Amino acid sequence: MNALDVLKAKYLDGIAQAAEEAALEELRLAALGKKGEISLKMRELGQMSPEERQTTGAALNVLKNEIDAALRAKKEALADAALDARLRNEWLDVTLPGRPRRAGTIHPVSQVMDEVTAIFADMGFAVAEGPQIESDWYNFDALNIAPEHPARQEHDTFFMARDAADPRPPHVLRTHTSPVQIRAMQKTGAPIRVIAPGRVYRMDMDQTHTPMFHQVEALALGKDISMANLKWVLEEFCKTFFEVPSVELRFRASHFPFTEPSAEVDIRCSWEGGQLKIGEGNSWMEILGSGMVHPKVLEAGGIDPAEWQGFAFGMGIDRLAMLKYGIPDLRAFFESDLRWLRHYGFAALDLPTVFGGLSK
Ligand code: PHE
């Protein structure tokens, strides 16, 4: 093997084995760089005889070209391999199903509260609030509920604990939203138009009752507010809430200590094939209690009954949600609500309004 064959073997092997571009560059410099082995050999040509120079020069040129070509080819091969590896790593199967994302949903009770609030806001009712742990006075006395009234008995009301030595009556978990009437009257006086949505508590548990449920109270006081105003407000509310063009309401004489006269209100409906339809048919369904605010209640709220009068009503929000969205069992709210929340698609808020501003 002559010297050039040794060089050739050395560089071509080196190139074949190079695993990265930096190694190739090193080989290039070692062979073809200014001080590379081939370049030095080229420089020696000057000291050779013309014949020697011709053969060695030609051979050196061939070798130089061979190494150069091998370097280029290997460089390209390394780049290709790198690209292949990258493509393999970045491979993406666009036919895979998407990753499921958890979407938050709005609970039907919250949605109905928002719907109710929006509808009454259109009729000029503001939202009033009160505590869920309420004093005996606000929950009962101020609402003209006498101490011997059955609503006060232990089996209906959750009483808070009191020190045995403390003579004051225990606080209660409010049994209705009506105490908010008193608080609102005390706060703003008359005239007033408020609704009070919120949680209420009674010791009761079966398919249609839960110990905690939700009510919305309404109170409207003015100089000449009458039951006719009550009827119009309720009709507008029911049409908008149930999304029907007309409704028929029936006022049944009733008794509440805090209203006089009092009426329970039924709505005309049909139950054909187990499907509830509001506004048509031959059945009546009770939806709320109402009446003209009792003078004693106005007085408890610091309002002069000789000057002011008006109506109040209270209705169950859970029940409204069940009726509107066809939920058969109140316990669905607590035990399996996720299942049917999704079924009913409670993801977005779509608020109906009386005057059509937000609806459709
Ligand atoms: N507070 C009554 C109840 O819980 C409802 C009601 C409110 C009735 C206002 C008349 C007026 O049943």
Side-chain angles (χ1 to χ4, degrees), residues 114-127 193 195 232-233 236-237 240-241 351-359:
D114 288 338
E115 289 176 9
V116 168
T117 303
I119 294 168
F120 282 107
D122 269 359
M123 294 190 274
F125 286 78
V127 171
R193 246 186 285 178
I195 59 162
W232 182 85
V233 163
E236 289 307 307
F237 167 75
T240 312
F241 180 77
L351 302 177
T353 72
V354 181
F355 304 115
L358 290 168
S359 65

Side-chain angles (χ1 to χ4, degrees), residues 144-166:
N144 194 33
I145 302 175
E148 65 278 6
H149 193 279
R152 286 209 188 197
Q153 302 313 304
E154 193 105 22
H155 66 263
D156 260 332
T157 308
F158 289 106
F159 292 96
M160 306 299 291
R162 263 256 197 263
D163 234 41
D166 194 331

Side-chain angles (χ1 to χ4, degrees), residues 54-324:
Q54 233 188 352
T55 48
T56 313
L60 270 175
N61 261 331
V62 168
L63 178 56
K64 183 187 159 199
N65 289 339
E66 269 181 309
I67 293 176
D68 199 45
L71 282 169
R72 283 173 204 278
K74 181 72 183 196
K75 192 170 167 178
E76 226 173 275
L78 284 178
D80 280 357
L83 184 61
D84 277 355
R86 214 179 108 191
L87 288 178
R88 257 196 312 280
N89 274 336
E90 291 177 4
W91 186 78
L92 177 73
D93 185 353
V94 294
T95 67
L96 282 175
R99 290 197 191 96
R101 272 211 275 150
R102 283 167 187 273
T105 57
I106 292 169
H107 194 281
V109 169
S110 304
Q111 172 153 337
V112 165
M113 273 203 199
D114 288 338
E115 289 176 9
V116 168
T117 303
I119 294 168
F120 282 107
D122 269 359
M123 294 190 274
F125 286 78
V127 171
E129 284 180 314
Q132 292 173 47
I133 297 175
E134 189 55 282
S135 79
D136 175 82
W137 187 81
Y138 277 106
N139 197 76
F140 296 123
D141 299 76
L143 290 159
N144 194 33
I145 302 175
E148 65 278 6
H149 193 279
R152 286 209 188 197
Q153 302 313 304
E154 193 105 22
H155 66 263
D156 260 332
T157 308
F158 289 106
F159 292 96
M160 306 299 291
R162 263 256 197 263
D163 234 41
D166 194 331
R168 294 171 303 167
H171 286 338
V172 299
L173 292 182
R174 68 180 180 197
T175 57
H176 50 179
T177 42
S178 299
V180 185
Q181 283 188 40
I182 307 293
R183 291 181 176 277
M185 285 187 236
Q186 289 177 332
K187 193 168 164 198
T188 51
I192 187 172
R193 246 186 285 178
V194 289
I195 59 162
R199 291 181 174 169
V200 299
Y201 303 83
R202 286 180 204 178
M203 269 191 258
D204 213 349
M205 184 72 178
D206 61 29
Q207 186 165 336
T208 53
H209 295 91
T210 54
M212 187 280 288
F213 57 106
H214 304 79
Q215 284 188 336
V216 58
E217 190 85 7
L219 171 70
L221 299 178
K223 295 278 183 190
D224 51 12
I225 290 183
S226 71
M227 288 195 75
N229 300 115
L230 169 67
K231 181 165 181 279
W232 182 85
V233 163
L234 288 177
E235 279 170 358
E236 289 307 307
F237 167 75
C238 289
K239 277 192 284 187
T240 312
F241 180 77
F242 291 110
E243 299 175 30
V244 290
S246 66
V247 289
E248 201 182 326
L249 298 181
R250 183 172 78 176
F251 284 64
R252 254 185 307 109
S254 182
H255 172 76
F256 298 103
F258 30 90
T259 45
E260 184 59 41
S262 301
E264 280 174 310
V265 178
D266 304 333
I267 190 167
R268 185 185 280 284
C269 65
S270 76
W271 280 106
E272 264 161 55
Q275 187 74 30
L276 171 71
K277 284 215 179 81
I278 301 281
E280 54 184 73
N282 293 315
S283 302
W284 295 96
M285 187 175 53
E286 187 193 322
I287 53 168
L288 59 93
S290 68
M292 295 299 287
V293 181
H294 196 289
K296 285 190 181 165
V297 172
L298 293 173
E299 273 167 8
I303 287 174
D304 181 0
E307 199 180 342
W308 303 99
Q309 63 178 43
F311 63 78
F313 59 85
M315 57 190 167
I317 290 179
D318 312 71
R319 193 168 144 74
L320 284 179
M322 290 168 74
L323 294 175
K324 179 160 178 179

